[in-house]
């Protein structure tokens, strides 16, 4: 006695696995028809036939030479199906499988499942407009162009011939009554549907048409089934996932649990050397217990993640197998970070204050001329980044990208200024993760408070002003994508708390609250006079803004009082 | 690529192959067991000198990964390495007393053996202190990887060198033959690497790690290269240019994605910093057979004299390949 489901197996390699699978199904009562690629040598073929010779419900059908994406695969399936229907009258459902398939659930569960749906055809069949995959940039054109060249081995000719046909506006007519559909080539069809397809009086006509359709094994049954099926479920009972290059994902021993929990009946494609998978799922005494619906969502997710990693990668990561061209980074850095320029010059305890307000790691001048001033004056930071200025300046972009990548999960803030290494300005300005806040001209404050001679100050002021001017030009560029704020020093000091509030809110939008504590502004008494003295030396001061010379009244006094008013 | 450029690279490649052809005379075969190699075997190619103490673990590690045959050039060992290797059933051994430096740091010899025995095989070219780690290496043998690479027609697989070091002075805990070197040298730098692209051969040039941080902080250009392409499906015309850092034809060097995605990659755990290091450094400086007058060894000796600790509080302790993948040092790509 045989079961109501019969299997066709198409195979070309790892024939010992085919023998194992065929034996498994046959010994559980299901008839099996095997199609072996004609390219397989006589010795291997002989070995396979003798390995299953003791099973009288296993037979071999006429052999075709099979090439990927050609009619030969459909011809092989047809031959197998005809033989199955003719020899095994008890079979109601015919299941098309490959030599790399592995049954995940006991045969009885599949039989019960199909017995409960005796008239249903399981075949993925999707209209061409709805399929997401269009291999080689061809979708509906699969049905309307001619494809005499192999996509795998004659790619150039293939592409050129497609382009030529497009240019000439060539179109094949689709035979009447056919509505093109596509889908996975692994199906499970009822005797009624299958025999209707195979015995159709117009079969010769359809065959002539489909022989020249591209990848007919994904289209022939998928299209014709729409003509005859009484009840069609557009899904495959075989768990088979393809990646972005159209190659099937492969299952290994470490997928055991994943496969077990998927509740799918058959999985493809299994690595032939995955001994543990074969041993587990083909174990003789597995009990039929469950009527669960197949649930491949976990497997889907795993493979979707893999494709995502291969095509998009992890944002902000530069490594040996991901080194994007400029503009193709999909994230120049991995997380938001903040750059402050001019704030430590204006406020005495800005680092500590900022750390308290936003709960971030606040570094000093990471790109300082002497060393990378990591938070807490450390000499090495996350990822073993060294504070050596030479190492850092050898590749500043790697340094910054690594710093942000290494401390994912913790926001990084650092100080910047015209004394620092400037070569990264274009990179940070174009990085949407960067928040850049600049108070221009603030570099003059340390000079104002320094002990240098006036000539030295004059010289240094001219140098720093030029550097900052160039930097601001970059920040104003149309290519800038960072969140950028630039104030002149006098502008900033008109409303320092509002300005700080805006920056802090942007860093930590969720705990937005009024700043209750202000950083201490350095004593600027006499600063206006200092700037005037520089001007009197012939310098054109462009970036600090206007400070009155009789500056003993502090220009910022009213604005600073703000938080204290709020707090009461 | 212009015709001129194509011809130039072709000439360069032919010259490398010719060098290898000439240098074959320097090799005398002590044990030829290559007849035992079958068509699908994965082969390891190695040059070594006085590595007896490392060999037991080295051979065991690669045998467990699924490597079937070792092809080894012994460059004048006198510590018993030769005898030890002769006794191994899966090792074919060649010996030479010729200059390592003049064989372009051994790569001429290896190019010759690769051409002769590696053609058509997946080949893994590693030093005796390099241990290959790839995605899923704890659950899938190496032929799972090579079978997968075959289905995608990928011919070269990258594995960046990851320098491993102990906590405390390097010579504090002596290494004993057969030990897993990463029991003590289990620390590494997680994210201080610099990358640039070599315009000539299109390989990435990666530097950094503890060697750059400790020995080359004031001259970073001289820091050793860490990029390697050790696993290659060898074809007749292939040639390594310098060590396994880069090769020709140069298409083999583009093992990275330039459009934002990640290709699959692994790591070579580098057990250089294990005891006895000081003796080795002294010997190598004496021989002067290493790259650029053994400058790397000279840099070590300057620093090693003060018993440095490569370890710092940000050092990562090695757990497994998944940790390296999370840190972004290697990638599963689209292999799942």
């Amino acid at each position: 006695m045989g079961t109501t489901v019969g299997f066709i197996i198409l195979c070309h390699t790892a024939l010992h696995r085919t023998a194992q699978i065929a034996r498994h199904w046959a010994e559980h009562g299901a008839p099996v028809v095997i199609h072996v690629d004609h390219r397989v040598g006589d010795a291997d073929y002989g070995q396979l036939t003798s390995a299953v010779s003791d099973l009288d419900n296993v037979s071999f059908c006429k052999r075709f030479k099979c090439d990927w994406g050609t009619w030969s695969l459909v011809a092989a399936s047809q031959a197998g199906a005809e033989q199955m229907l003719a020899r095994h009258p008890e079979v109601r459902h015919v299941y098309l499988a490959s030599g790399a398939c592995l049954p995940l659930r006991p045969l009885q569960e599949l039989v019960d499942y199909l017995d409960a749906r005796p008239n249903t055809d399981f075949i993925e069949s999707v209209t061409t407009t709805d399929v997401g995959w269009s291999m080689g940039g061809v979708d509906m054109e699969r049905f309307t162009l001619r494809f005499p060249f192999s996509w795998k081995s004659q790619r150039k000719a293939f592409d050129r011939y497609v382009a030529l046909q497009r240019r000439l506006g060539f179109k094949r007519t689709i035979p009447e009554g056919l509505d093109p559909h596509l889908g996975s080539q692994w199906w499970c069809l009822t005797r009624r549907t299958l025999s209707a397809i195979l015995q159709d009086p117009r079969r010769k006509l359809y065959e002539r048409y489909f022989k020249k359709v591209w990848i007919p094994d994904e289209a022939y049954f998928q299209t014709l089934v729409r003509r005859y099926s009484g009840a069609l479920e557009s899904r495959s009972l075989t768990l088979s996932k393809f990646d972005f290059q159209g190659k099937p994902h492969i299952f290994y021993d470490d997928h055991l649990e994943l496969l077990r929990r998927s509740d799918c009946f058959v999985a493809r494609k299994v690595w032939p050397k995955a001994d543990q998978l074969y041993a587990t799922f083909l174990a003789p005494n597995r009990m039929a217990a469950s009527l669960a619906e197949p649930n491949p969502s976990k497997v889907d997710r795993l493979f979707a993640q893999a494709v995502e990693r291969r095509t998009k990668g992890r944002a902000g990561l530069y490594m040996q197998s991901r080194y994007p061209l400029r503009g193709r980074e999909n994230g120049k850095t991995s997380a938001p970070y903040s750059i402050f320029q001019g704030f430590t010059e204006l406020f005495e305890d800005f680092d500590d204050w900022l750390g308290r307000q936003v709960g971030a790691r606040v570094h000093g001048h990471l790109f300082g001329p002497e060393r990378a001033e990591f938070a807490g004056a450390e000499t090495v930071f996350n990822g073993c980044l060294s504070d050596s200025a030479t190492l850092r300046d050898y590749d500043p972009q790697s340094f910054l990208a690594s710093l942000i990548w290494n401390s994912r999960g913790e926001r990084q803030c650092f100080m910047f200024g015209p004394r620092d290494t400037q070569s990264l300005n274009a990179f940070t300005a174009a990085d949407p993760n960067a928040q850049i806040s600049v108070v221009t001209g603030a570099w003059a404050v340390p000079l104002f408070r320094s002990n240098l001679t006036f000539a030295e100050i004059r010289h240094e002021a001219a140098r720093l002003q030029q550097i900052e001017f160039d930097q601001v030009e970059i920040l104003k560029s149309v290519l800038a994508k960072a969140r950028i704020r630039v104030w002149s020093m006098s502008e900033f000091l008109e409303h320092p708390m509002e300005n700080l509030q805006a920056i802090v809110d942007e860093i930590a939008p969720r705990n937005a609250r009024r700043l209750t504590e202000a950083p201490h502004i350095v004593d600027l008494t006499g600063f206006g006079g200092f700037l005037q003295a520089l001007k009197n030396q012939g310098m054109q001061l462009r970036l600090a803004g206007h400070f009155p010379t009789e500056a003993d009244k502090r220009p910022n006094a009213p604005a600073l009082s703000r938080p204290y008013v709020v707090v009461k | 690529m212009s015709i001129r450029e194509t011809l130039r690279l072709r000439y360069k490649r032919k010259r490398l192959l010719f060098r290898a052809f000439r240098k074959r005379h320097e090799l005398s075969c002590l044990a030829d067991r290559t007849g035992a190699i079958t068509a699908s075997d994965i082969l390891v190619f190695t040059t070594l000198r006085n590595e007896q103490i490392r060999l037991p673990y080295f051979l065991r590690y690669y045998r467990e990964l699924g490597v079937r045959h070792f092809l080894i050039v012994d460059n004048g060992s006198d510590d018993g390495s030769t005898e030890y290797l002769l006794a191994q059933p899966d090792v074919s051994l060649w010996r030479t007393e010729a200059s390592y430096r003049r064989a372009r740091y051994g790569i001429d010899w290896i190019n010759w053996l690769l051409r002769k025995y590696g053609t058509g095989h997946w080949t893994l070219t590693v030093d005796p202190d390099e241990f290959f780690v790839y995605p899923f290496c704890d659950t899938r043998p190496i032929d799972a990887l090579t079978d997968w690479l075959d289905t995608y027609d990928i011919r070269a697989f990258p594995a960046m060198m990851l320098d491993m070091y102990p906590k405390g002075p390097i010579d504090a805990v002596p290494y004993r033959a057969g030990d897993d070197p990463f029991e003590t040298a289990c620390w590494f730098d997680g994210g201080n690497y610099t990358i640039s692209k070599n315009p000539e051969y299109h390989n990435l040039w990666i530097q950094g790690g503890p060697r750059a941080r400790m020995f080359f902080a004031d001259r970073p250009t001289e820091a050793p290269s860490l990029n390697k392409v050790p696993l290659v499906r060898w074809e007749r015309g292939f040639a390594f240019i310098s060590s396994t850092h880069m090769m020709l034809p140069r298409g083999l060097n583009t093992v990275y994605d330039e459009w934002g995605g990640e290709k699959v990659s692994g790591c070579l755990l580098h057990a250089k910093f294990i005891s006895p290091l000081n003796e080795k450094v002294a010997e190598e400086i004496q021989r002067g057979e290493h790259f650029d007058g053994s400058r790397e060894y000279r840099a070590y000796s300057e620093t090693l004299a003060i018993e440095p600790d490569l370890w710092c509080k940000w050092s990562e302790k090695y757990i497994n390949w998944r940790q390296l993948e999370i840190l972004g040092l290697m990638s599963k790509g689209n292999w799942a």
Side-chain angles (χ1 to χ4, degrees):
Chain A
M1 55 113 237
T3 60
T4 51
V5 56
F7 292 90
I8 305 167
I9 304 179
L10 309 182
C11 63
H12 66 285
T13 56
L15 299 183
H16 63 293
R17 290 302 186 192
T18 305
Q20 222 181 332
I21 301 293
R23 171 168 297 277
H24 173 82
W25 278 326
E27 283 180 346
H28 286 82
V32 176
V33 174
I34 302 177
H35 175 273
V36 184
D37 189 337
H38 202 67
R39 291 225 169 79
V40 170
D42 289 342
D44 292 341
Y45 182 68
Q47 225 167 9
L48 174 60
T49 47
S50 61
V52 294
S53 57
D54 59 318
L55 300 161
D56 51 11
N57 53 353
V58 176
S59 59
F60 291 83
C61 71
K62 188 182 169 207
R63 294 167 67 188
F64 294 85
K65 259 187 207 163
C66 291
D67 282 307
W68 179 87
T70 63
W71 173 258
S72 53
L73 292 165
V74 182
S77 320
Q78 285 178 328
E82 278 170 338
Q83 187 162 324
M84 176 67 72
L85 296 179
R87 290 199 191 176
H88 303 282
E90 77 281 10
V91 166
R92 191 195 56 237
H93 270 97
V94 178
Y95 199 120
L96 181 64
S98 86
C101 282
L102 178 65
L104 302 183
R105 289 167 66 175
L107 181 64
Q108 195 54 46
E109 289 187 17
L110 176 62
V111 172
D112 294 345
Y113 188 85
L114 293 174
D115 282 348
R117 298 157 182 80
N119 297 317
T120 309
D121 295 301
F122 294 90
I123 178 168
E124 192 186 18
S125 164
V126 188
T127 59
T128 49
T129 41
D130 295 329
V131 292
W133 27 273
S134 64
M135 287 280 288
V138 178
D139 37 42
M140 183 59 193
E141 289 171 327
R142 283 171 184 239
F143 295 96
T144 59
L145 300 184
R146 286 168 185 276
F147 301 94
F149 299 105
S150 159
W151 188 69
K152 283 202 164 163
S153 54
Q154 301 162 297
R155 186 63 160 278
K156 262 195 189 148
F158 178 96
D159 287 342
R160 279 193 199 144
Y161 197 57
V162 165
L164 179 73
Q165 294 178 75
R166 280 178 186 160
R167 207 167 60 225
L168 298 178
F170 174 81
K171 262 206 169 119
R172 298 179 68 197
T173 37
I174 300 168
E176 214 183 311
L178 290 191
D179 183 12
H181 280 71
L182 295 170
S184 157
Q185 72 255 55
W186 311 112
W187 41 251
C188 175
L189 298 179
T190 58
R191 172 180 288 267
R192 197 164 43 170
T193 306
L194 199 51
S195 55
I197 292 173
L198 294 173
Q199 290 156 17
D200 191 311
R202 292 165 52 128
R203 176 173 159 184
K204 283 272 166 289
L205 173 88
Y206 294 150
E207 280 185 5
R208 219 167 30 239
Y209 169 74
F210 274 102
K211 274 178 186 170
K212 283 173 184 140
V213 162
W214 191 43
I215 321 186
D217 50 321
E218 289 181 356
Y220 179 76
F221 289 101
Q222 290 72 5
T223 301
L224 289 175
V225 77
R226 290 278 166 186
R227 278 174 69 85
Y228 304 109
S229 177
L232 186 148
E233 286 236 11
S234 178
R235 63 187 164 97
S236 173
L237 291 179
T238 302
L239 171 66
S240 175
K241 293 291 153 202
F242 290 84
D243 78 353
F244 68 115
Q245 293 178 6
K247 312 228 186 220
H249 286 290
I250 298 167
F251 294 105
Y252 300 90
D253 283 345
D254 48 26
H255 290 123
L256 180 67
E257 275 311 304
L258 190 75
L259 287 174
R260 214 199 293 261
R261 289 194 198 132
S262 75
D263 284 327
C264 290
F265 292 106
V266 176
R268 180 176 194 278
K269 174 175 187 174
V270 177
W271 189 46
K273 293 170 209 161
D275 296 338
Q276 206 189 338
L277 289 186
Y278 280 95
T280 309
F281 289 111
L282 299 183
N285 50 356
R286 297 184 70 219
M287 299 296 286
S290 125
L291 277 171
E293 275 289 330
N295 175 23
S297 61
K298 270 217 176 97
V299 181
D300 286 350
R301 212 172 317 137
L302 177 78
F303 290 139
Q305 279 168 356
V307 171
E308 174 95 359
R309 201 182 311 113
R310 177 64 188 82
T311 52
K312 284 198 165 153
R314 287 170 279 181
L317 174 64
Y318 300 81
M319 46 96 72
Q320 54 172 335
S321 53
R322 179 182 202 266
Y323 194 64
L325 296 165
R326 190 178 298 249
R328 294 283 171 182
E329 295 95 344
N330 168 34
K332 285 179 181 297
T333 50
S334 58
Y337 58 96
S338 303
I339 304 175
F340 292 90
Q341 176 159 335
F343 290 75
T344 39
E345 286 80 356
L346 286 185
F347 301 105
E348 268 162 4
D349 49 355
F350 184 72
D351 308 27
D352 296 341
W353 175 85
L354 183 66
R356 282 197 300 278
Q357 299 305 325
V358 297
R361 178 86 61 160
V362 181
H363 301 281
H365 286 259
L366 276 187
F367 290 91
E370 294 83 19
R371 49 181 285 272
E373 298 171 9
F374 294 124
E378 296 205 50
T379 55
V380 186
F381 186 60
N382 210 338
C384 299
L385 278 170
S386 160
D387 71 342
S388 151
T390 324
L391 275 184
R392 177 200 66 204
D393 291 345
Y394 180 55
D395 188 348
Q397 184 181 321
S398 285
F399 177 83
L400 180 64
S402 300
L403 181 102
I404 306 293
W405 171 263
N406 295 341
S407 29
R408 281 161 291 161
E410 177 195 60
R411 192 180 181 105
Q412 305 294 308
C413 301
F414 62 93
M415 306 305 144
F416 196 70
R419 292 178 68 242
D420 299 353
T421 301
Q422 300 288 315
S423 54
L424 263 196
N425 288 345
F427 177 81
T428 50
D431 181 5
N433 277 326
Q435 182 201 40
I436 306 176
S437 311
V438 181
V439 179
T440 59
W443 44 264
V445 177
L447 291 180
F448 159 59
R449 305 171 83 199
S450 75
N451 236 345
L452 300 173
T453 67
F454 201 75
E456 287 166 332
I457 289 176
R458 163 79 179 81
H459 182 75
E460 182 68 357
R463 184 179 82 89
L464 297 179
Q465 171 163 274
Q466 186 56 47
I467 292 172
E468 193 173 69
F469 184 78
D470 294 342
Q471 179 201 0
V472 171
E473 286 300 299
I474 292 174
L475 295 179
K476 283 186 196 157
S477 147
V478 287
L479 299 172
K481 291 203 177 68
R483 275 156 297 172
I484 297 171
R485 292 182 175 79
V486 182
W487 300 270
S488 74
M489 190 171 145
S490 62
E491 242 169 38
F492 182 83
L493 287 177
E494 278 170 31
H495 304 289
M497 284 321 291
E498 276 83 348
N499 296 335
L500 287 174
Q501 181 85 52
I503 296 170
V504 168
D505 286 353
E506 197 173 89
I507 294 178
R510 262 168 300 173
N511 56 345
R513 58 193 168 90
R514 266 327 228 173
L515 292 174
T516 54
E517 179 199 355
H520 294 290
I521 292 200
V522 297
D523 183 8
L524 291 175
T525 315
F527 185 64
F530 170 75
L531 293 184
Q532 189 57 50
L534 283 175
K535 285 182 193 162
N536 295 347
Q537 289 286 313
M539 229 187 119
Q540 189 196 6
L541 281 174
R542 291 176 288 191
L543 299 167
H546 179 69
F547 283 84
T549 41
E550 62 289 337
D552 283 358
K553 56 174 177 42
R554 290 160 57 172
N556 42 32
L560 249 195
S561 59
R562 184 77 184 267
Y564 301 101
V565 174
V566 173
V567 172
K568 284 182 193 163
Chain B
M1 189 159 55
S2 69
I3 292 174
R4 200 192 143 103
E5 179 83 343
T6 312
L7 289 176
R8 194 180 60 79
L9 289 171
R10 186 186 150 82
Y11 173 68
K12 168 103 187 167
R13 184 166 60 84
K14 292 287 178 194
R15 227 177 42 195
L16 289 170
L17 291 171
F18 183 64
R19 275 194 77 104
F21 178 73
R22 269 193 313 132
K23 291 281 176 185
R24 79 192 190 282
H25 292 303
E26 294 178 357
L27 301 175
S28 57
C29 187
L30 299 189
D32 184 357
R33 301 190 179 100
T34 52
I37 298 174
T38 64
S40 59
D41 282 355
I42 295 164
L43 313 175
V44 159
F45 291 79
T46 301
T47 311
L48 55 80
R49 173 191 169 81
N50 288 348
E51 298 283 10
Q52 156 77 75
I53 193 169
R54 291 172 179 272
L55 287 174
Y57 185 76
F58 174 79
L59 294 174
R60 193 176 90 211
Y61 182 87
Y62 284 104
R63 281 172 188 149
E64 280 172 12
L65 281 192
V67 167
R68 307 306 291 270
H69 203 88
F70 297 83
L71 297 99
I72 297 179
V73 175
D74 173 9
N75 184 200
S77 295
D78 52 13
D79 68 340
S81 297
T82 321
E83 294 72 20
Y84 181 81
L85 289 170
L86 278 174
Q88 307 298 317
D90 52 357
V91 172
S92 291
L93 188 66
W94 288 262
R95 185 172 168 96
T96 177
E97 311 289 334
S99 164
Y100 181 68
R101 183 164 49 80
R102 283 209 302 276
R104 291 177 41 264
Y105 313 105
I107 210 68
D108 287 338
W109 302 325
I110 292 295
N111 271 339
W112 171 251
L113 292 182
L114 280 166
R115 183 181 168 89
K116 187 155 180 208
Y117 300 102
T119 301
H121 289 271
W122 277 99
T123 63
L124 187 60
T125 306
V126 288
D127 288 342
D129 57 1
E130 293 172 347
F131 296 88
F132 183 53
V133 168
Y134 54 90
F136 308 103
C137 58
D138 47 2
T139 50
R140 303 179 194 174
I142 196 168
D143 48 346
L145 173 65
T146 53
D147 282 357
W148 184 86
L149 293 172
D150 278 334
T151 62
Y152 284 83
D153 297 322
I154 300 172
R155 298 175 300 175
F157 181 87
M160 177 182 130
M161 280 219 282
L162 198 60
D163 292 330
M164 309 293 290
Y165 48 84
K167 186 173 178 177
I170 290 151
D171 281 330
V173 182
Y175 176 78
R176 288 193 319 268
D179 285 355
D180 176 355
F182 307 118
E183 298 258 309
T184 44
C186 56
W187 302 88
F188 64 94
D189 285 11
N192 57 3
Y193 301 92
T194 60
I195 307 180
S196 58
K197 188 172 153 180
N198 177 347
E200 187 170 13
Y201 297 120
H202 293 183
N203 59 298
L204 293 184
W205 187 25
I206 305 179
Q207 294 168 289
R211 282 189 276 174
R213 172 164 64 87
M214 297 294 290
F215 305 123
F216 294 93
D218 47 353
R219 43 204 162 122
T221 41
E222 291 180 19
S225 309
L226 303 176
N227 51 292
K228 285 210 165 183
V229 185
L231 182 65
V232 181
R233 187 175 183 99
W234 204 263
E235 288 172 30
R236 219 175 154 70
F238 289 3
F240 281 119
I241 299 171
S242 85
S243 178
T244 53
H245 298 307
M246 49 195 178
M247 58 191 305
L248 282 173
R250 69 177 176 187
L252 296 166
N253 294 326
T254 47
V255 290
Y256 50 93
D257 189 287
E258 294 196 288
W259 301 88
E262 294 173 30
K263 287 190 180 177
V264 62
S265 54
C267 278
L268 286 175
L269 303 187
H270 192 202
K272 186 179 202 82
F273 297 104
I274 61 170
S275 167
L277 183 67
N278 276 326
E279 288 167 38
K280 175 115 188 149
V281 168
E283 188 195 335
E284 293 304 337
I285 291 174
Q286 170 86 46
R287 284 177 66 227
E289 284 280 304
H290 281 271
F291 183 59
D292 197 9
S294 301
R295 73 174 181 210
E296 193 182 325
Y297 283 98
R298 275 188 280 120
Y300 299 154
S301 82
E302 288 160 22
T303 321
L304 287 173
I306 50 168
E307 293 230 323
D309 189 354
L310 299 182
W311 186 89
C312 70
K313 76 169 202 187
W314 295 101
S315 297
E316 297 277 350
K317 187 168 185 181
Y318 181 71
I319 305 168
N320 56 19
W321 68 268
R322 283 183 195 276
Q323 169 199 28
L324 302 183
E325 136 98 357
I326 289 165
L327 288 170
L329 293 167
M330 59 187 263
S331 177
K332 290 185 281 190
N334 52 329
W335 200 28

